[in-house]
Amino acid sequence: MSQVIKDGKDTIIFATKEDHQSPSKVILSPPEPSPGLIFPDGSINWNCPCLGGMATGPCGVEFRESFTCFHYSKEEPKGMECREKFTAMWTCMDQYPEVYTEGLKDDEEFLNKEEQAGETIKNKEANS
Amino acid sequence: MLSKLRLLRPPVSPGSRILNAWENKNYSDKKNGRGKTTPPLIQDEFSTNPKSPTTTHSSESENNNGWQNDSKNNQSFRNWSLFGGAIILSGTVYGIYHFDIMKQKKDDNLITEENTNAKKIRKLVQIPSLSESIPDNIQYLLIGGGTASFSAFRAIKSADPTARVLVISAEGYLPHMRPPLSKELWYGDDTEMAKSLNFHQWNGTSRSLFYEPEPFYTPVEELTTAKNGGISLARGWKVESINVSKKKVKLNDGKEISYDKCLIATGSVPKTLKLYDDANEELKNKFSVFRSISDFEDLWEQLGHIKSIAIIGGGFLGSELAASLANKGKKNGVKIYQIFKEKGNMGKVLPKYLSHWTTEKVRNEGVEVVTETEVENCSLENNKRQVNLKLSNGKNISVDHVIMAVGAKPNTELATDAGLEIDSKLDGYLVNSELQARTDLYIAGDCACFYDKQLGRRRVEHHDHAVISGRLAGENMAGAAKPYQHQPMFWSDIGPSVGYEAIGIVDSSLATMGVFAKGNHKDPSLLANETDQNTLTNKKETNEELVSKNNESISENDYNKGVVFYLKNDVIVGIVLWNLFNRMSIARQVLKTNRCYKDLNEVAKLFNIHGDSS
């Protein structure tokens, strides 16, 4: 059973698990909307923290143009027409290795993993 | 090449509470999301209308909209790679990249040091060295280079991609976060890492204190001509005055800069004790405050050769630092005292019982906590090697160094000259709910006294508020005209066993209702009668304290996890989540209801206090 202790203006309840097992009768209003990268209407939220400094850094404009192009692309495969914009973005990013290096490094790791995965598959094939 | 394309998964909160408020969501913190799959960056792009994980009251999860699991991430990766794209959503996502701060500092020749008597004098080097390099007029001028300013320039650049933003910072350092200075940086065994101002986050990844590396910023000389605008820093420069009508500021060397929009985010300065102000230089050298990177570096170095430190102050900073230094100084046998006038740690914030409990925890960390005591006098002794502190309880303490953690004062020195109003009660520049002081002049962070339509006029000195208010000011400077709505949270970690997050007005003078998880340990019915409604007197609490001394484990279990509601006229105005994480958005929703609850235990049920604390 839960216990209640009164200490002046402060009240303390030690609640047992059993006591708290039944659902709360309190009904909350829905949480504040918290858009991610894409707003419900499909537009891009450039203020998304998930972007870190991407949209605001030295290649922010190039990044936005590339991503906008890709996001709204109707081509098949998607983003085919954005090659130029991406090239501009990479060219820009190459000028700021300190800002963008870590991403590249991650990328290499990813590459290696891909290769490794490929090898594993090959090995498996060889074994089977 | 194809796989250069990289959509990095943002750590749920690695950047943590640090960046938490950036988004209009609270996915916060350090301990949040522990063990969860970290959601990747782009979701909606590839899975239309993804159902966010919905439990009625899922706290962070519903906020993680936009995040997917790993396989989805790969999916997005493939989609992007179709056109051979290389999006490097680099570590900049939450700034997880590491860069060599040490090198950078060296390159900057930022700070030169001179040794005079044991105490370092640091000279700020100005970058740029001549104010001629700074533009004469600028679209967005941000005064101050702290978190609020960082958050503002991000918001400005997000809203106005080619904006030209000039940050004038009296500090010599690049914009950085302060919370780890009294917490994370002191834990962990890697000395080099701490020296380079990198620290481990809750999830094991490490990051730098600095939000962005130096090349992120456009050289100030190029700001006016850069094709896409940029964000530039003028470091070591100080704005002396503002002419609000003419929309101009004057720098310390007399240079004038006109602005279209201006933000004052000058933060606050640590308060000092009167006995320190009155002391001679020699004695003053034994004292320090703690706020900046330099303060951290000085203290770090000192800890290597001193044997005792007294921390004066029992609030957030004093308590965090006491626990951190005790931990760090253990190996070298450094004795830490914490002296304050309240009855327990965080006595102005936590209800009495919780404050006492925290003090016990701080003591367990090896800190000698001296409560209900003030320092009355001080003098040099032992060949001027030590300071003798004469305490109001009649005792004397001799220590090698004294840290004053006695609060901060908002830096409002620009007010008088500019004719800006200061709030007489709360201090800080008076602004409306859009954080506007005058036309085209905004205030954010510690030094803003703003109007919160739910909780009234407030001034908040916490990191998350700096993030939220800085962002709001930035958005409004770029034309948004939004009011202050999103409640900031704050957090504190005091040693390894006390961690909490809070929101709203958290003031121990208010009535509180704490609901704690009763553990599966030995039945604590010894402490109180087992009835739902039975209320006990203070006498019982004394009994409880007695028992807790006899049986530490029971006491530990008692306040181990729970939620505390702070009430004003029976309405919840503040909530503390005690060793309970990942529930801030529920707290935010509860606070928003702004109503009187008959049964707060029912409200407490929303927080699943018996569940996994993370």
Side-chain angles (χ1 to χ4, degrees):
Chain A
M1 247 190 176
S2 297
Q3 39 184 156
V4 181
I5 299 172
K6 189 96 184 149
D7 177 20
K9 64 174 186 56
D10 300 313
T11 310
I12 307 152
I13 297 179
F14 291 114
T16 60
K17 203 171 180 176
E18 294 70 40
D19 177 39
H20 270 215
Q21 240 161 13
S22 56
S24 173
K25 290 169 199 150
V26 175
I27 294 158
L28 293 177
S29 53
E32 289 178 27
S34 49
L37 182 58
I38 310 298
F39 284 118
D41 70 357
S43 63
I44 301 165
N45 174 16
W46 297 115
N47 215 349
C48 178
C50 53
L51 289 174
M54 288 301 286
T56 51
C59 303
V61 170
E62 289 82 356
F63 168 75
R64 288 169 71 129
E65 283 172 358
S66 306
F67 188 64
T68 305
C69 176
F70 178 76
H71 179 65
Y72 295 106
S73 170
K74 296 267 187 283
E75 297 284 306
E76 256 327 305
K78 189 168 177 157
M80 274 307 282
E81 73 277 33
C82 309
R83 193 176 292 270
E84 226 169 79
K85 292 193 164 67
F86 271 85
T87 310
M89 182 180 77
W90 301 325
T91 311
C92 177
M93 286 177 174
D94 283 345
Q95 294 171 50
Y96 300 95
E98 272 188 86
V99 181
Y100 301 102
T101 306
E102 198 63 24
L104 288 169
K105 215 161 65 185
D106 270 0
D107 221 47
E108 277 157 24
E109 276 166 26
F110 189 91
L111 241 182
N112 291 338
K113 271 183 200 156
E114 264 191 336
E115 280 164 13
Q116 278 166 14
E119 275 164 27
T120 317
I121 291 166
K122 273 182 209 159
N123 290 341
K124 271 188 184 164
E125 280 167 358
N127 289 338
S128 60
Chain B
M1 182 63 182
L2 286 183
S3 62
K4 265 184 120 184
L5 164 66
R6 182 78 171 137
L7 296 174
L8 228 194
R9 293 178 299 153
V12 170
S13 24
S16 78
R17 299 193 263 214
I18 302 288
L19 283 177
N20 116 5
W22 178 252
E23 203 171 13
N24 217 1
K25 68 183 194 181
N26 157 48
Y27 50 102
S28 83
D29 30 41
K30 167 168 137 170
K31 281 160 192 161
N32 273 353
R34 189 165 15 189
K36 276 187 178 177
T37 316
T38 29
L41 184 62
I42 296 180
Q43 164 195 27
D44 305 30
E45 188 68 59
F46 305 105
S47 57
T48 43
N49 193 18
K51 282 231 166 130
S52 49
T54 43
T55 50
T56 324
H57 303 297
S58 74
S59 59
E60 310 313 310
S61 52
E62 82 273 24
N63 287 328
N64 287 338
N65 60 357
W67 305 137
Q68 303 168 295
N69 59 27
D70 277 346
S71 61
K72 283 271 175 62
N73 191 27
N74 289 340
Q75 175 68 35
S76 48
F77 180 88
R78 278 194 294 275
N79 274 291
W80 278 78
S81 18
L82 287 176
F83 58 98
I87 286 270
I88 306 139
L89 288 188
S90 68
T92 40
V93 174
Y94 289 96
I96 331 169
Y97 51 70
H98 330 272
F99 61 101
D100 190 346
I101 299 297
M102 293 314 277
K103 178 174 160 283
Q104 179 196 350
K105 275 164 96 180
K106 208 169 141 195
D107 292 349
D108 286 357
N109 190 20
L110 189 62
I111 283 164
T112 55
E113 296 170 6
E114 286 172 18
N115 273 313
T116 58
N117 294 330
K119 187 153 184 174
K120 280 183 176 174
I121 309 279
R122 287 161 187 267
K123 265 191 199 164
L124 266 187
V125 175
Q126 292 178 317
I127 305 171
S129 54
L130 296 172
S131 65
E132 291 160 21
S133 315
I134 303 172
D136 297 328
N137 48 66
I138 190 74
Q139 196 181 1
Y140 296 96
L141 179 70
L142 314 184
I143 307 172
T147 296
S149 195
F150 157 76
S151 188
F153 71 60
R154 263 204 178 171
I156 292 169
K157 264 292 194 183
S158 300
D160 182 355
T162 56
R164 296 177 202 278
V165 185
L166 174 65
V167 180
I168 299 179
S169 169
E171 269 188 295
Y173 294 98
L174 297 173
H176 58 274
M177 57 190 75
R178 292 188 202 278
L181 289 172
S182 57
K183 307 182 185 77
E184 289 90 338
L185 279 171
W186 295 98
Y187 295 87
D189 300 321
D190 191 341
T191 304
E192 287 311 310
M193 189 171 160
K195 276 187 177 170
S196 65
L197 302 173
N198 287 295
F199 62 93
H200 283 296
Q201 304 176 113
W202 64 271
N203 63 356
T205 61
S206 65
R207 68 151 296 152
S208 163
L209 211 57
F210 297 94
Y211 291 117
E212 302 287 358
E214 186 159 22
F216 175 91
Y217 302 96
T218 306
V220 72
E221 297 83 1
E222 298 165 21
L223 183 59
T224 319
T225 50
K227 186 179 64 162
N228 294 324
I231 301 154
S232 292
L233 295 173
R235 286 185 273 165
W237 288 94
K238 202 163 178 268
V239 171
E240 289 275 315
S241 62
I242 307 180
N243 185 327
V244 184
S245 322
K246 290 189 174 159
K247 301 208 320 192
K248 258 184 193 180
V249 303
K250 194 185 270 181
L251 297 187
N252 42 328
D253 74 340
K255 181 189 170 80
E256 291 191 330
I257 305 168
S258 304
Y259 61 80
D260 293 347
K261 309 272 177 187
C262 179
L263 174 74
I264 302 178
T266 44
S268 48
V269 283
K271 285 184 191 163
T272 53
L273 295 164
K274 186 165 185 307
L275 60 91
Y276 166 83
D277 298 335
D278 297 342
N280 62 34
E281 282 308 309
E282 243 177 341
L283 190 50
K284 273 187 175 164
N285 281 342
K286 295 285 179 194
F287 282 74
S288 63
V289 291
F290 191 88
R291 184 166 178 85
S292 65
I293 289 178
S294 331
D295 297 334
F296 167 79
E297 288 175 337
D298 288 351
L299 191 56
W300 181 278
E301 199 195 302
Q302 272 188 321
L303 215 56
H305 56 82
I306 60 175
K307 289 293 168 207
S308 53
I309 298 177
I311 295 167
I312 303 175
F316 294 99
L317 179 64
S319 303
E320 288 173 4
L321 212 49
S324 298
L325 292 184
N327 178 286
K328 186 77 200 163
K330 250 177 221 163
K331 283 179 204 150
N332 309 339
V334 181
K335 173 89 187 162
I336 309 292
Y337 297 91
Q338 191 189 5
I339 305 159
F340 50 82
K341 56 186 168 197
E342 295 84 25
K343 288 181 175 160
N345 288 71
M346 317 296 308
K348 288 179 181 164
V349 175
L350 300 174
K352 196 172 76 188
Y353 63 92
L354 214 45
S355 166
H356 285 171
W357 194 79
T358 306
T359 298
E360 284 313 309
K361 293 291 171 189
V362 176
R363 284 181 177 142
N364 289 345
E365 290 301 298
V367 179
E368 184 158 341
V369 186
V370 187
T371 61
E372 295 177 83
T373 301
E374 287 182 75
V375 179
E376 288 185 335
N377 212 339
C378 60
S379 55
L380 286 171
E381 64 172 18
N382 292 339
N383 227 352
K384 297 185 177 175
R385 284 201 318 271
Q386 286 197 306
V387 188
N388 181 281
L389 300 175
K390 187 173 175 291
L391 307 181
S392 57
N393 63 8
K395 290 182 182 158
N396 282 278
I397 293 177
S398 289
V399 290
D400 296 329
H401 190 74
V402 183
I403 299 168
M404 295 172 283
V406 290
K409 190 189 175 334
N411 182 0
T412 53
E413 57 189 21
L414 292 168
T416 324
D417 204 42
L420 298 172
E421 189 177 356
I422 298 296
D423 189 90
S424 53
K425 256 204 217 147
L426 301 168
D427 208 346
Y429 296 100
L430 207 62
V431 290
N432 63 18
S433 54
E434 293 177 22
L435 305 182
Q436 193 183 38
R438 293 275 295 274
T439 303
D440 298 327
L441 181 65
Y442 295 78
I443 321 274
D446 287 10
C447 65
C449 185
F450 60 98
Y451 183 69
D452 174 341
K453 70 174 180 184
Q454 188 185 341
L455 301 174
R457 195 148 282 282
R458 298 174 76 193
R459 193 173 66 77
V460 182
E461 289 174 6
H462 288 295
H463 175 87
D464 195 42
H465 167 70
V467 175
I468 286 177
S469 63
R471 179 183 55 182
L472 178 65
E475 287 176 329
N476 287 345
M477 288 165 81
K482 286 187 191 168
Y484 193 100
Q485 260 174 341
H486 189 71
Q487 285 297 332
M489 52 88 78
F490 64 86
W491 75 95
S492 185
D493 298 318
I494 303 167
S497 50
V498 177
Y500 63 93
E501 299 178 350
I503 188 165
I505 297 174
V506 176
D507 177 341
S508 62
S509 67
L510 296 171
T512 71
M513 162 71 93
V515 183
F516 295 87
K518 191 166 162 178
N520 294 324
H521 51 81
K522 223 193 214 170
D523 195 344
S525 56
L526 296 161
L527 315 179
N529 292 337
E530 277 212 357
T531 65
D532 272 328
Q533 298 306 323
N534 194 12
T535 55
L536 299 155
T537 60
N538 288 343
K539 205 172 147 198
K540 270 297 183 200
E541 213 213 352
T542 320
N543 285 342
E544 184 200 341
E545 278 171 3
L546 266 175
V547 175
S548 78
K549 270 179 194 157
N550 294 335
N551 193 338
E552 187 66 28
S553 69
I554 285 183
S555 152
E556 269 188 12
N557 256 323
D558 282 348
Y559 301 124
N560 234 10
K561 291 196 291 185
V563 55
V564 183
F565 302 111
Y566 290 71
L567 309 163
K568 221 181 228 179
N569 304 323
D570 296 328
V571 173
I572 298 172
V573 292
I575 299 172
V576 163
L577 301 171
W578 189 255
N579 281 334
L580 208 56
F581 305 95
N582 236 343
R583 290 152 171 85
M584 188 48 77
S585 74
I586 306 173
R588 188 168 275 126
Q589 280 171 269
V590 168
L591 196 66
K592 216 173 181 180
T593 58
N594 199 20
R595 52 163 280 205
C596 177
Y597 289 99
K598 262 192 200 146
D599 188 354
L600 286 167
N601 195 24
E602 280 300 314
V603 184
K605 280 184 185 176
L606 296 168
F607 291 87
N608 185 21
I609 58 173
H610 294 88
D612 188 352
S613 66
S614 60

